[in-house]
């Protein structure tokens, strides 16, 4: 629209001068309000009128009035200045770490057991951070990270995905959960090869914990064709099936207290060293603008998670 007149873009200084005059209807008062000399203010308004090709003010020796066009354009000018102010505030917030929105993706086999620690840390140490949590399976989380829908992931690694940087947090062992009376229940020296013939209950397809458990079984010498019953979408259901005598399952250490403490018919067995384990990490886009912030968050999480039954890792692991 401006190109229909003289092709000139109004400046922010011109808009501020005009809005000040529109609010005060007095050049001296308007100039004082925005810290500008009265001649400079008058010149800025005149330049704006020239750029827009519209008379904004009616000047008399006694008073200043807005023209009909000036009344309409004053509303627009205020909106522009408000939008610029919001832009500057947002940019200022971007410079400050741990402010604004952080969209964190978490896998289901981590969320119930680690989120209390994560949320407590954020609440106490980063109160200005707007943490938004999304619980999804690994493939969906990676798609969200690549598309910019998510900023940071908390999940099991290694991922082996180009363009994704992992910030290791800890390793945790798997334990065997059995029904009461099972011959392996309560043992502390279970050999891995015991997994070869057990009736193993696992999560549905798509859960990384299922794939990890199958890898452990293959390492133990279990044949790919050996019976594996997949009947649960979550760990809570899985352990209840174990309690009902339908088989055994593998749980990560961080899930044991929550998932087995509600049923006296469940018994935990521990593997002989080295026990099968998984690694949990934060994952971000390589070269992310907030990389330093995410690295600091990873360090804080390692410190906070030291109280959990895990082996905390160093940043260079």
């Amino acid at each position: 629209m401006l190109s229909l007149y003289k092709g000139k873009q109004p400046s922010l200084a011109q808009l501020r001068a005009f809005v000040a005059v529109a609010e005060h209807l007095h050049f001296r008062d308007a100039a004082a309000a925005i810290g500008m000399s009265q001649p400079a203010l008058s010149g800025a308004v005149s330049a704006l009128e020239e750029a827009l090709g519209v008379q904004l003010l009616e000047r008399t020796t006694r008073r200043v009035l807005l023209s009909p066009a000036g009344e309409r354009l004053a509303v627009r000018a205020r909106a522009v200045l408000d939008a610029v102010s919001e832009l500057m505030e947002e940019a200022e917030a971007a410079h400050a770490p741990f402010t604004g929105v952080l969209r964190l993706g978490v896998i289901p086999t981590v969320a119930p057991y680690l989120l209390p620690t994560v949320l407590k840390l954020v609440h106490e140490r980063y109160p200005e951070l707007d943490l938004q949590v999304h619980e999804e399976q690994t493939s969906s989380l990676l798609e969200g990270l690549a598309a910019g829908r998510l900023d940071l992931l908390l999940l099991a690694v290694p991922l082996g995905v180009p363009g994704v940087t992992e910030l290791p947090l800890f390793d945790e062992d798997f334990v065997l959960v059995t029904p009461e009376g099972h011959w392996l229940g309560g043992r502390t020296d279970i050999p891995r090869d015991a997994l070869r013939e057990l009736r193993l209950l696992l999560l549905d397809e798509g859960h990384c914990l299922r794939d990890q458990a199958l890898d452990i079984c293959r390492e133990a010498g279990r044949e790919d064709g050996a019976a594996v019953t997949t009947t649960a979408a979550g760990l809570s259901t899985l352990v209840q099936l174990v309690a009902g005598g339908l088989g055994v399952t593998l749980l990560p250490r961080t899930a044991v207290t929550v998932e087995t403490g509600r049923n006296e018919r469940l018994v935990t067995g521990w593997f002989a060293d080295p026990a099968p384990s998984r690694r949990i990490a934060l994952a971000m886009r390589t070269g992310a603008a907030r990389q330093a912030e995410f690295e600091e968050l990873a360090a804080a999480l390692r410190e906070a998670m030291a109280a959990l039954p895990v082996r905390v890792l160093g940043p260079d692991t």
Side-chain angles (χ1 to χ4, degrees):
M1 291 290 292
L2 295 178
S3 61
L4 293 176
Y5 303 109
K6 300 191 177 183
K8 297 180 180 179
Q9 293 282 347
S11 69
L12 291 178
Q14 292 167 358
L15 293 176
R16 290 191 186 96
F18 170 53
V19 167
V21 173
E23 290 176 351
H24 294 276
L25 295 178
H26 196 286
F27 277 95
R28 186 178 65 245
D29 293 345
I34 62 174
M36 182 182 285
S37 69
Q38 187 171 331
L41 179 84
S42 179
V45 175
S46 296
L48 179 62
E49 290 178 316
E50 182 181 354
L52 297 177
V54 175
Q55 182 179 346
L56 301 172
L57 303 176
E58 295 179 5
R59 302 168 177 84
T60 70
T61 56
R62 295 184 177 181
R63 58 191 304 189
V64 176
L65 296 175
L66 290 175
S67 69
E71 290 181 355
R72 297 195 302 272
L73 292 177
V75 175
R76 297 285 189 179
R78 288 190 188 95
V80 170
L81 294 177
D82 287 344
V84 171
S85 178
E86 292 174 1
L87 174 67
M88 297 305 294
E89 289 176 1
E90 191 68 26
E92 183 178 354
H95 286 295
F98 301 106
T99 59
V101 175
L102 174 58
R103 299 163 297 181
L104 176 68
V106 190
I107 56 174
T109 58
V110 161
Y113 321 113
L114 297 187
L115 278 181
T117 300
V118 174
L119 296 177
K120 183 175 185 291
L121 172 71
V122 170
H123 176 73
E124 293 179 351
R125 191 174 299 192
Y126 311 116
E128 299 301 317
L129 186 64
D130 180 9
L131 183 66
Q132 299 177 0
V133 178
H134 303 262
E135 184 185 51
E136 302 170 23
Q137 293 184 6
T138 300
S139 59
S140 177
L141 292 180
L142 289 171
E143 290 173 0
L145 186 69
R149 178 174 60 84
L150 298 172
D151 303 309
L152 193 64
L153 309 181
L154 179 59
L155 73 179
V157 296
L159 300 168
V161 177
V164 176
T165 296
E166 300 169 7
L167 304 173
L169 299 177
F170 62 80
D171 289 338
E172 66 174 327
D173 292 340
F174 283 101
V175 299
L176 188 70
V177 179
T178 73
E180 190 176 29
H182 192 278
W183 66 283
L184 290 175
R187 287 183 53 176
T188 59
D189 60 348
I190 300 173
R192 290 197 190 199
D193 59 14
L195 294 170
R196 292 177 183 176
E197 305 300 332
L198 294 175
R199 183 176 176 81
L200 194 64
L201 303 175
L202 298 177
L203 293 174
D204 291 334
E205 297 277 356
H207 288 276
C208 62
L209 186 58
R210 171 192 172 91
D211 297 331
Q212 292 162 351
L214 290 174
D215 287 342
I216 292 168
C217 291
R218 279 190 287 269
E219 291 172 3
R222 187 184 182 101
E223 296 181 2
D224 288 342
V228 173
T229 304
T230 303
T231 51
L235 293 182
S236 295
T237 302
L238 201 61
V239 296
Q240 296 311 311
L241 295 173
V242 172
L246 298 186
V248 301
T249 196
L250 294 169
L251 282 187
R253 280 287 307 272
T254 52
V256 170
T257 299
V258 173
E259 299 301 347
T260 65
R262 296 175 293 197
N263 197 318
E264 295 180 354
R265 291 176 294 172
L266 292 170
V267 182
T268 300
W270 309 86
F271 289 94
D273 290 335
S277 64
R278 70 172 181 175
R279 176 162 294 181
I280 301 299
L282 292 177
M284 63 181 178
R285 289 182 294 275
T286 301
R290 302 171 74 178
Q291 178 172 342
E293 182 179 342
F294 295 159
E295 290 174 346
E296 182 179 336
L297 177 61
L301 283 173
R302 293 185 192 104
E303 179 182 334
M305 292 175 176
L308 301 176
V310 300
R311 295 184 297 281
V312 175
L313 302 170
D316 299 323
T317 301

